[in-house]
Amino acid sequence: MAAIALSRLSKRFAPGAPPALEEVSLEIAPGEVFGIVGRSGAGKSTLIRCVNLLERPDSGRVEVLGQDLMSLDEAALRAARRGMGMVFQHFNLHARRTVAENVAFPLEVAGMARAERERRVAELLPLVGLEAKRDAYPAQLSGGQKQRVGIARALASGPRILLCDEATSALDPETTAEILALIRDLRARLDLTVLLITHEMAVVKSVCDRVAVMEAGRVIEEGPVFDVFTRPTQPTTRRFVAEVIGHSVPPGTLSRLPQPGPGEARRLVQVLFAGPHSTRAVVSEASRDFDVDMNIVSGRVDEIAGEPFGVMALAAYGAPDKLEGALGWMRSLGLHVTELGEAA
Amino acid sequence: MNWLTPAMVDLLVEGFSETLVMVGASAAIAVALGLPLALLLHATGPGGLSPRPWMNRPLGLLVNAVRSTPFIILMVAIVPFTRLVAGTSIGTGAAVVPLALAATAFLARLFENALREVEPGVIEAARAMGATRMQIVTKVLVPEALPGLIAATTVALVSLVGFSAMAGAVGGGGLGDLGIRFGYQRFMPEVMLTVVLVLILFVQGLQSLGDWLVRRLSRR
Ligand SMILES: Nc1ncnc2c1ncn2[C@@H]1O[C@H](COP(=O)(O)OP(=O)(O)O)[C@@H](O)[C@H]1O
Ligand SMILES: [Mg+2]
């Protein structure tokens, strides 16, 4: 059974307005970190807010841990919400409550006795590394510390599900990495299912198992993170992927490449190395076997969802049929070879 | 200082205590009525906890109507109501009725603004954590807005001191009344000056106390 099952969710904020959500269906398996990525206004927040019904979809079905949320009355819905933690971009902490009091808030709301609340808070703060800050006020904390409070608060009532709406978007890259590592760590320790929304592909790359790409209220592409990164099918997804694995080559560099000699052709290609051949000496094999020259314009190796992955821009010179043969051979190895085209 | 006879001191003390009663009683009533009114305005307003335009608009209109009526006219206009409530339309007790009414409308708006200053995200987070509307009001809205509510109350208190002087002129007593009777009508400018000085000190004291509380309570 899916931890979260959304089926055909549609939402329009005003009659005649473009839909914020259009027939969105997603299934999130227990224990996975599922990312939703999209540009600002794509409908990501609306979608995640539908999971705990902060926003009610116009139509569709929201099922969390097997429970059909749309059919619940207010009291039952509040109880269901306590089974889901939510983390926000701007932390949304109570300015006049201390760290400990912020973390205790959901417990207080649930009617837990003070002594028990304090015991629980004492368990939670070490989990996010904030024991020393228990009596500080949010204004005295850094962004990363505030988000740690937000996470501890979201986990206070022991939810199975964690919803993160741009949880790292207000943080600098280093703090972002820390918070993402914390989320991954907590996911494993507390056996959480995490639904995470972001406009940054780097976040997806470092923390998610699967990803859905949203555009104009619809999911346009979905799959395991590694597949989406290495084989994006939609132009929007390609642009997102390019942000992270940066395969674009500066036009200035391309224009400075040597022109092909007489009888030669030049092909500019990008090669994605993934899977079993990612460590093979493809370039030297191809130059030897097909009698072509390969000029490596740019290249880098990276890891996505724990798998090695490389991207390289090549300028290949040789007789046209030899070039064709070399590129065909590379494709036959399962490498993704795409034409970069000629820069002016 | 030959005008500062024991009798005059008695008058000043009496005037000050009447001012205190008028300001204190009407402020207490205004806070007690203005806060629920503000919560209602906030909750029923657009984007509130339970938006109800049919309730919010008339309520807002009523508050504005009271606020925009000059106090001196309001005082005269509600004399029948004052009589009904206080049993009389003159004296310090009777003056409290129009003062409280004007201050309630004034505070309701100021309080509403203070509530609006609470970050919507904090309210949203409370909803996501399964808080009831009542819990959101008592555990989020009011506590988070507290510094703003105190600041608003300070503003109202200071305005009430001024209004109470007007109420004094129609038989409410108080320092304002004293200043006009002795200082203006009996040509005793020293009395007028003393009254003004006492009022300035009083207002300063209120403002400083309010500012201090706000500073203490806000954790920004
Ligand atoms: N409360 C709202 N009222 C009206 N329009 C809204 C509201 N919330 C979101 N929208 C609109 O819905 C669309 C999707 O918004 P959102 O889900 O916030 O996008 P994202 O989180 O991907 O940036 C946007 O066009 C936005 O303007
Ligand atoms: Mg958003």
Side-chain angles (χ1 to χ4, degrees):
Chain A
M1 181 189 64
I4 301 172
L6 309 175
S7 61
R8 312 190 60 170
L9 295 189
S10 293
K11 171 88 188 176
R12 215 180 270 270
F13 282 100
L21 292 179
E22 200 173 4
E23 303 266 322
V24 173
S25 299
L26 286 176
E27 288 218 351
I28 295 144
E32 81 176 329
V33 179
F34 192 98
I36 295 175
V37 70
R39 297 261 172 255
S40 171
K44 309 177 298 291
S45 294
T46 306
L47 182 64
I48 202 167
R49 288 158 50 80
C50 281
V51 176
N52 54 9
L53 291 195
L54 286 178
E55 206 73 73
R56 222 163 239 282
D58 298 334
S59 61
R61 201 177 147 85
V62 178
E63 234 179 77
V64 176
L65 301 171
Q67 197 175 30
D68 174 9
L69 295 194
M70 306 260 278
S71 68
L72 300 179
D73 63 21
E74 279 213 31
L77 177 59
R78 283 196 299 270
R81 281 175 179 162
R82 288 187 204 124
M84 291 178 256
M86 193 164 194
V87 180
F88 305 87
Q89 174 173 9
H90 298 294
F91 324 121
N92 298 352
L93 302 177
H94 303 229
R96 296 193 54 251
R97 283 173 169 251
T98 62
V99 166
E101 289 165 348
N102 265 287
V103 174
F105 182 81
L107 307 173
E108 209 176 307
V109 157
M112 187 186 274
R114 175 180 285 274
E116 208 179 330
R117 283 200 312 254
E118 281 177 5
R119 204 182 42 71
R120 180 82 183 121
V121 169
E123 285 171 8
L124 286 158
L125 291 181
L127 221 48
V128 295
L130 280 183
E131 304 94 304
K133 294 284 178 190
R134 78 182 302 282
D135 296 318
Y137 286 89
Q140 300 167 303
L141 303 178
S142 69
Q145 289 171 330
K146 284 184 203 167
Q147 198 56 295
R148 285 166 188 272
V149 179
I151 292 172
R153 175 177 70 176
L155 297 175
S157 44
R160 307 263 47 138
I161 287 175
L162 186 63
L163 307 173
C164 304
D165 188 354
E166 304 269 10
T168 58
S169 301
L171 305 176
D172 60 62
E174 252 173 73
T175 316
T176 294
E178 273 173 39
I179 294 292
L180 293 177
L182 177 66
I183 290 175
R184 251 200 116 83
D185 171 52
L186 290 171
R187 189 273 299 254
R189 284 164 73 178
L190 305 177
D191 199 14
L192 296 169
T193 303
V194 181
L195 177 57
L196 181 151
I197 277 183
T198 180
H199 65 276
E200 293 172 303
M201 209 59 180
V203 168
V204 170
K205 177 183 146 223
S206 74
V207 77
C208 296
D209 303 313
R210 282 200 302 145
V211 62
V213 183
M214 279 189 80
E215 188 174 53
R218 290 183 311 122
V219 168
I220 54 168
E221 187 154 3
E222 185 199 339
V225 170
F226 193 78
D227 296 356
V228 171
F229 266 88
T230 51
R231 287 186 289 278
T233 62
Q234 299 294 316
T236 303
T237 314
R238 281 201 198 103
R239 276 197 296 277
F240 268 114
V241 168
E243 261 171 34
V244 177
I245 57 183
H247 18 154
S248 63
V249 176
T253 308
L254 288 184
S255 63
R256 275 193 292 276
L257 288 173
Q259 291 301 319
E264 263 188 356
R266 181 177 80 175
R267 301 276 291 272
L268 290 172
V269 292
Q270 174 199 286
V271 185
L272 283 184
F273 297 80
H277 298 289
S278 57
T279 48
R280 192 161 163 178
V282 176
V283 173
S284 57
E285 270 186 63
S287 356
R288 200 172 50 234
D289 297 353
F290 292 90
D291 189 26
V292 294
D293 285 319
M294 289 206 178
N295 183 350
I296 299 175
V297 181
S298 77
R300 67 190 267 214
V301 181
D302 207 340
E303 208 167 82
I304 291 168
E307 284 187 64
F309 164 80
V311 58
M312 198 183 274
L314 296 175
Y317 299 84
D321 58 321
K322 299 276 180 153
L323 276 178
E324 203 48 62
L327 298 180
W329 171 75
M330 284 160 79
R331 286 196 177 95
S332 74
L333 292 178
L335 305 179
H336 296 273
V337 181
T338 43
E339 216 77 27
L340 282 174
E342 284 287 333
Chain B
M1 295 289 266
N2 55 348
W3 59 273
L4 202 60
T5 58
M8 186 53 76
V9 171
D10 280 353
L11 275 174
L12 276 170
V13 169
E14 195 193 328
F16 186 61
S17 35
E18 282 166 356
T19 295
L20 268 186
V21 167
M22 280 190 286
V23 171
S26 50
I29 295 170
V31 169
L33 298 179
L35 184 57
L37 201 54
L39 287 168
L40 202 59
L41 280 169
H42 185 266
T44 58
L49 286 171
S50 27
R52 298 225 185 342
W54 56 266
M55 196 162 167
N56 186 268
R57 280 206 203 106
L59 214 54
L61 275 177
L62 184 69
V63 165
N64 284 346
V66 174
R67 282 193 57 191
S68 45
T69 308
F71 181 66
I72 206 103
I73 294 175
L74 182 78
M75 209 162 40
V76 176
I78 65 157
V79 159
F81 176 71
T82 305
R83 256 195 215 115
L84 192 74
V85 177
T88 169
S89 63
I90 47 171
T92 307
V96 167
V97 177
L99 281 173
L101 182 68
T104 299
F106 185 53
L107 262 185
R109 268 299 177 227
L110 292 185
F111 280 171
E112 190 201 2
N113 287 343
L115 294 172
R116 265 201 229 137
E117 291 294 306
V118 176
E119 248 188 86
V122 185
I123 295 166
E124 165 127 325
R127 286 218 297 145
M129 288 181 273
T132 63
R133 273 187 254 270
M134 199 40 126
Q135 284 173 324
I136 290 174
V137 169
T138 60
K139 289 178 187 293
V140 185
L141 259 182
V142 173
E144 285 294 297
L146 195 58
L149 296 175
I150 305 258
T153 307
T154 309
V155 171
L157 278 169
V158 169
S159 312
L160 271 173
V161 173
F163 284 143
S164 76
M166 269 194 261
V170 296
L175 282 179
D177 181 36
L178 192 69
I180 291 187
R181 268 191 293 135
F182 286 79
Y184 180 65
Q185 288 161 355
R186 296 192 197 171
F187 300 107
M188 294 173 75
E190 318 85 65
V191 178
M192 180 77 96
L193 196 63
T194 313
V195 162
V196 169
L197 276 177
V198 171
L199 285 177
I200 288 176
L201 286 177
F202 184 43
V203 166
Q204 280 296 337
L206 283 174
Q207 189 66 53
S208 306
L209 181 69
D211 290 348
W212 176 78
L213 266 176
V214 169
R215 263 200 315 278
R216 256 203 66 134
L217 289 172
S218 50
R219 300 287 185 177
R220 303 206 173 268

